[in-house]
């Protein structure tokens, strides 16, 4: 089993999409470059979604213009439809992420269609992205619970996973969108999903609303998963999942992974300092226990 863990940094997308005040593209590009310099190789630059729905992500193409490209760096964006894919291709990203849910109620609120409709929409989109040489991630939200429909059956997550794989997704990120999941529940989801997809193609995306994210990541590690999403300074939330707080902080994730004997290639001190810069700009205290302890 691999002793390297891959971190997908989602703070500039998942985090900033939820900020009341949009952050300008120059600042976002500066943070992106600093995160890449800290050793993060997979970073979400933002989303190509409707600016009417998520105005904070409106100028993601300008963020990407300001990125210092280097070999091994994957610039990633969310894409919900053909219009988003066209913009992503023009911006020369490396990977797009399509996003749906295990709950129809959440998909309706988030992308204005049912899960089945979203998968129909993704089919030509994923094909076109792959034809253009892009990697494609498939996000599944609400894998344990939905803010509108309540508990989600693991079988529903398995069904969507299977369809996204059939459509050509390279990796699947399982999202605990509202951060309520506990290890037993994550284990049940993995019981349903792991027979369908090798752990190497799965990621866990844990929001930390109830403080369970690290415990859930550890559960994923024990089941062979080596890719985890996190957000510098624990930024994040989803505008369509009220009350959900940020993702697990990247600082806390690095500390856990390296303590478990895995390499991440990411410099913890540098990420703490970037987190500090972001918190000062956004005028807030970091929720990261590791950053607090290290007093960056
Ligand atoms: P719709 O209103 O059904 O779509 O939205 P539409 O096709 O009728 O378009 C409406 C308007 O948006 C039109 O403009 C389009 O041109 C424009 P108008 O003609 O009215 O002037 N538009 C676009 N503009 C730019 N780029 C585009 C685009 N598409 C349409 N790509 C749609 C459907 C999917 C577009 C909308 O619902 C949407 O953008 N949703 C995005 C929601 C979102 O970004 N949520 C947060 C990310 S998901 C998340 O955070 C969860 C995750 O972190 C995992 C987890 O935690 O579980 C990934
Ligand atoms: Mg999220």
């Amino acid at each position: 089993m691999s002793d390297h863990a891959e971190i997908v940094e989602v703070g500039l997308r998942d985090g900033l999409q939820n900020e009341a005040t949009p952050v300008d593209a120059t600042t976002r590009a500066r943070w992106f470059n600093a995160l890449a310099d800290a050793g993060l190789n997979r970073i979400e630059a933002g989303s190509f979604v409707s600016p009417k729905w998520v105005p904070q992500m409106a100028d993601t193409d300008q963020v990407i213009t300001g990125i210092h490209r280097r070999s091994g760096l994957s610039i990633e964006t969310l894409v919900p439809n053909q219009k988003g894919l066209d913009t992503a291709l023009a911006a020369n990203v490396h990977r797009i992420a399509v996003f749906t849910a295990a709950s129809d109620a959440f998909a309706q609120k988030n992308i204005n269609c049912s899960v089945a409709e979203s998968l129909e929409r993704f089919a030509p989109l994923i094909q076109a992205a792959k034809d253009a040489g892009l990697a494609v991630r498939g996000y599944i939200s609400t894998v344990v619970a939905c803010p509108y429909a309540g508990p989600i059956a693991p079988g529903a997550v398995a069904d969507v996973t299977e369809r996204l794989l059939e459509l050509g997704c390279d990796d699947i990120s399982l999202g605990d969108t509202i951060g309520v999941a506990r290890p037993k529940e994550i284990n049940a989801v993995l019981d349903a999903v792991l027979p369908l997809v090798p752990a190497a193609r799965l990621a866990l995306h844990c929001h930390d609303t109830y403080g369970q994210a690290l415990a859930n990541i550890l559960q994923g590690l024990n089941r062979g998963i080596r890719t985890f999403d996190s957000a510098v300074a624990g930024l994040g939330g989803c505008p369509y999942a009220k009350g959900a707080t940020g993702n697990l902080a990247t600082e806390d994730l690095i500390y856990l992974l390296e303590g478990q004997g895995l390499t991440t290639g990411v410099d913890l001190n540098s990420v703490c300092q970037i987190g500090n810069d972001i918190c000062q700009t956004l005028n807030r205290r970091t929720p990261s226990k590791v950053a607090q302890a290290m007093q960056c």
Side-chain angles (χ1 to χ4, degrees):
M1 207 167 277
S2 168
D3 63 358
H4 177 76
E6 191 71 28
I7 298 176
V8 180
E9 172 57 51
V10 300
L12 303 181
R13 192 277 303 169
D14 198 322
L16 299 184
Q17 74 185 9
N18 214 35
E19 283 299 312
T21 314
V23 179
D24 65 86
T26 307
T27 305
R28 284 152 65 192
R30 177 165 60 77
W31 288 339
F32 188 109
N33 289 325
L35 290 164
D37 288 346
L40 286 151
N41 281 327
R42 287 187 61 182
I43 308 178
E44 288 186 347
S47 306
F48 292 124
V49 298
S50 168
K52 290 193 175 134
W53 284 65
V54 187
Q56 295 90 333
M57 293 289 106
D59 47 5
T60 292
D61 50 346
Q62 290 172 43
V63 176
I64 294 175
T65 306
I67 291 173
H68 306 144
R69 291 172 184 260
R70 62 155 166 85
S71 111
L73 175 64
S74 174
I75 302 170
E76 314 195 356
T77 56
L78 263 59
V79 159
N81 54 18
Q82 186 61 46
K83 189 167 185 166
L85 177 62
D86 292 343
T87 322
L89 288 171
N92 202 11
V93 305
H94 300 97
R95 185 185 300 250
I96 60 155
V98 295
F99 52 107
T100 185
S103 153
D104 269 327
F106 185 77
Q108 284 292 353
K109 296 273 187 198
N110 196 36
I111 48 176
N112 206 20
C113 63
S114 68
V115 174
E117 285 164 344
S118 73
L119 295 169
E120 261 171 53
R121 187 185 291 169
F122 295 160
L125 200 72
I126 293 172
Q127 189 58 54
K130 304 225 58 132
D131 290 347
L134 301 189
V136 180
R137 156 176 270 208
Y139 268 114
I140 307 176
S141 285
T142 61
V143 298
V144 165
C146 167
Y148 310 105
I152 298 296
V157 183
D159 289 347
V160 182
T161 302
E162 199 160 31
R163 283 295 294 138
L164 286 171
L165 291 171
E166 282 166 6
L167 294 179
C169 284
D170 297 286
D171 64 332
I172 305 289
S173 178
L174 301 172
D176 176 21
T177 315
I178 52 175
V180 294
R182 288 157 286 191
K184 193 172 171 188
E185 289 149 328
I186 289 293
N187 224 8
V189 173
L190 295 178
D191 281 342
V193 168
L194 278 171
L196 306 170
V197 54
R201 290 174 64 189
L202 279 180
L204 286 184
H205 177 105
C206 298
H207 285 259
D208 202 25
T209 318
Y210 280 76
Q212 307 294 302
L214 280 176
N216 292 334
I217 298 286
L218 195 54
Q219 193 59 250
L221 271 178
N222 291 339
R223 301 292 302 266
I225 296 177
R226 292 289 178 272
T227 304
F228 303 99
D229 303 353
S230 63
V232 58
L235 295 171
C238 174
Y240 300 98
K242 206 167 176 287
T245 61
N247 281 85
L248 172 61
T250 304
E251 297 89 322
D252 296 6
L253 178 60
I254 298 168
Y255 187 80
L256 172 79
L257 293 173
E258 301 215 330
Q260 293 303 107
L262 294 148
T263 58
T264 63
V266 186
D267 183 60
L268 176 57
N269 257 307
S270 303
V271 176
C272 277
Q273 273 157 30
I274 300 159
N276 190 29
D277 178 14
I278 292 175
C279 285
Q280 276 181 12
T281 304
L282 301 178
N283 194 21
R284 71 165 56 135
R285 185 166 191 257
T286 182
S288 162
K289 292 275 190 202
V290 169
Q292 285 169 26
M294 289 175 63
Q295 297 184 326
C296 295

mmCIF file of all heavy atoms in Angstrom, residues 10 13-14 17 139 141 175-177 205 207 237-238 247, ligand 2:
data_model
loop_
_atom_site.group_PDB
_atom_site.id
_atom_site.type_symbol
_atom_site.label_atom_id
_atom_site.label_comp_id
_atom_site.label_asym_id
_atom_site.label_seq_id
_atom_site.Cartn_x
_atom_site.Cartn_y
_atom_site.Cartn_z
ATOM 1 N N VAL A 10 -8.738 22.429 -1.533
ATOM 2 C CA VAL A 10 -10.009 22.953 -2.058
ATOM 3 C C VAL A 10 -10.393 24.317 -1.461
ATOM 4 O O VAL A 10 -11.468 24.836 -1.757
ATOM 5 C CB VAL A 10 -11.162 21.933 -1.849
ATOM 6 C CG1 VAL A 10 -10.876 20.614 -2.546
ATOM 7 C CG2 VAL A 10 -11.462 21.713 -0.374
ATOM 8 N N ARG A 13 -11.646 27.195 -3.608
ATOM 9 C CA ARG A 13 -12.940 26.924 -4.256
ATOM 10 C C ARG A 13 -14.012 26.698 -3.179
ATOM 11 O O ARG A 13 -14.880 27.534 -2.975
ATOM 12 C CB ARG A 13 -12.799 25.708 -5.193
ATOM 13 C CG ARG A 13 -13.974 25.486 -6.137
ATOM 14 C CD ARG A 13 -15.112 24.742 -5.508
ATOM 15 N NE ARG A 13 -14.730 23.441 -4.966
ATOM 16 C CZ ARG A 13 -15.526 22.719 -4.181
ATOM 17 N NH1 ARG A 13 -16.725 23.156 -3.828
ATOM 18 N NH2 ARG A 13 -15.133 21.550 -3.695
ATOM 19 N N ASP A 14 -13.893 25.624 -2.448
ATOM 20 C CA ASP A 14 -14.916 25.284 -1.462
ATOM 21 C C ASP A 14 -14.984 26.360 -0.379
ATOM 22 O O ASP A 14 -16.059 26.686 0.132
ATOM 23 C CB ASP A 14 -14.563 23.920 -0.846
ATOM 24 C CG ASP A 14 -15.731 23.264 -0.142
ATOM 25 O OD1 ASP A 14 -16.510 23.972 0.503
ATOM 26 O OD2 ASP A 14 -15.856 22.034 -0.213
ATOM 27 N N GLN A 17 -16.057 30.089 -2.069
ATOM 28 C CA GLN A 17 -17.421 30.125 -2.629
ATOM 29 C C GLN A 17 -18.443 30.476 -1.554
ATOM 30 O O GLN A 17 -19.569 30.854 -1.847
ATOM 31 C CB GLN A 17 -17.785 28.773 -3.261
ATOM 32 C CG GLN A 17 -18.081 27.660 -2.259
ATOM 33 C CD GLN A 17 -18.315 26.289 -2.894
ATOM 34 O OE1 GLN A 17 -18.091 26.119 -4.077
ATOM 35 N NE2 GLN A 17 -18.778 25.336 -2.122
ATOM 36 N N TYR A 139 -17.499 14.348 -8.112
ATOM 37 C CA TYR A 139 -17.839 14.578 -6.702
ATOM 38 C C TYR A 139 -19.228 14.012 -6.414
ATOM 39 O O TYR A 139 -20.178 14.255 -7.170
ATOM 40 C CB TYR A 139 -17.944 16.079 -6.431
ATOM 41 C CG TYR A 139 -16.707 16.794 -5.961
ATOM 42 C CD1 TYR A 139 -16.102 17.750 -6.758
ATOM 43 C CD2 TYR A 139 -16.182 16.557 -4.691
ATOM 44 C CE1 TYR A 139 -14.983 18.456 -6.315
ATOM 45 C CE2 TYR A 139 -15.069 17.265 -4.245
ATOM 46 C CZ TYR A 139 -14.474 18.213 -5.054
ATOM 47 O OH TYR A 139 -13.387 18.900 -4.604
ATOM 48 N N SER A 141 -21.839 14.483 -3.388
ATOM 49 C CA SER A 141 -22.134 15.159 -2.122
ATOM 50 C C SER A 141 -23.105 14.327 -1.296
ATOM 51 O O SER A 141 -23.744 13.401 -1.799
ATOM 52 C CB SER A 141 -22.768 16.534 -2.387
ATOM 53 O OG SER A 141 -21.792 17.438 -2.822
ATOM 54 N N GLY A 175 -18.208 13.141 -0.600
ATOM 55 C CA GLY A 175 -18.340 14.346 0.207
ATOM 56 C C GLY A 175 -19.301 14.208 1.370
ATOM 57 O O GLY A 175 -20.483 13.901 1.185
ATOM 58 N N ASP A 176 -18.770 14.444 2.581
ATOM 59 C CA ASP A 176 -19.656 14.633 3.738
ATOM 60 C C ASP A 176 -19.913 16.135 3.808
ATOM 61 O O ASP A 176 -19.300 16.868 4.575
ATOM 62 C CB ASP A 176 -18.997 14.105 5.015
ATOM 63 C CG ASP A 176 -19.869 14.373 6.241
ATOM 64 O OD1 ASP A 176 -21.087 14.584 6.080
ATOM 65 O OD2 ASP A 176 -19.312 14.403 7.359
ATOM 66 N N THR A 177 -20.824 16.556 2.986
ATOM 67 C CA THR A 177 -21.068 17.970 2.695
ATOM 68 C C THR A 177 -21.368 18.795 3.936
ATOM 69 O O THR A 177 -20.963 19.952 4.039
ATOM 70 C CB THR A 177 -22.279 18.068 1.732
ATOM 71 O OG1 THR A 177 -22.099 17.089 0.715
ATOM 72 C CG2 THR A 177 -22.430 19.443 1.141
ATOM 73 N N HIS A 205 -13.782 13.699 1.202
ATOM 74 C CA HIS A 205 -13.945 15.161 1.266
ATOM 75 C C HIS A 205 -14.794 15.434 2.506
ATOM 76 O O HIS A 205 -16.021 15.343 2.472
ATOM 77 C CB HIS A 205 -14.638 15.614 -0.019
ATOM 78 C CG HIS A 205 -14.960 17.071 -0.108
ATOM 79 N ND1 HIS A 205 -14.241 17.949 -0.909
ATOM 80 C CD2 HIS A 205 -15.941 17.817 0.449
ATOM 81 C CE1 HIS A 205 -14.769 19.158 -0.823
ATOM 82 N NE2 HIS A 205 -15.811 19.117 -0.001
ATOM 83 N N HIS A 207 -16.130 17.706 5.489
ATOM 84 C CA HIS A 207 -16.342 18.963 6.211
ATOM 85 C C HIS A 207 -16.291 18.628 7.707
ATOM 86 O O HIS A 207 -16.516 17.485 8.110
ATOM 87 C CB HIS A 207 -17.670 19.589 5.789
ATOM 88 C CG HIS A 207 -17.583 20.208 4.414
ATOM 89 N ND1 HIS A 207 -17.437 21.554 4.221
ATOM 90 C CD2 HIS A 207 -17.557 19.650 3.183
ATOM 91 C CE1 HIS A 207 -17.351 21.797 2.913
ATOM 92 N NE2 HIS A 207 -17.422 20.664 2.259
ATOM 93 N N GLY A 237 -17.494 25.402 2.954
ATOM 94 C CA GLY A 237 -18.915 25.247 3.169
ATOM 95 C C GLY A 237 -19.539 25.210 1.803
ATOM 96 O O GLY A 237 -18.845 25.339 0.796
ATOM 97 N N CYS A 238 -20.807 24.982 1.758
ATOM 98 C CA CYS A 238 -21.479 25.001 0.465
ATOM 99 C C CYS A 238 -22.634 25.974 0.590
ATOM 100 O O CYS A 238 -23.410 25.896 1.542
ATOM 101 C CB CYS A 238 -21.978 23.611 0.095
ATOM 102 S SG CYS A 238 -22.974 23.599 -1.409
ATOM 103 N N ASN A 247 -14.147 22.781 5.429
ATOM 104 C CA ASN A 247 -13.492 21.483 5.283
ATOM 105 C C ASN A 247 -12.503 21.288 6.414
ATOM 106 O O ASN A 247 -12.065 22.247 7.051
ATOM 107 C CB ASN A 247 -12.692 21.453 3.973
ATOM 108 C CG ASN A 247 -13.575 21.214 2.790
ATOM 109 O OD1 ASN A 247 -14.134 22.147 2.256
ATOM 110 N ND2 ASN A 247 -13.708 19.968 2.402
HETATM 111 MG MG1 LIG B 2 -17.366 20.669 -0.004
#
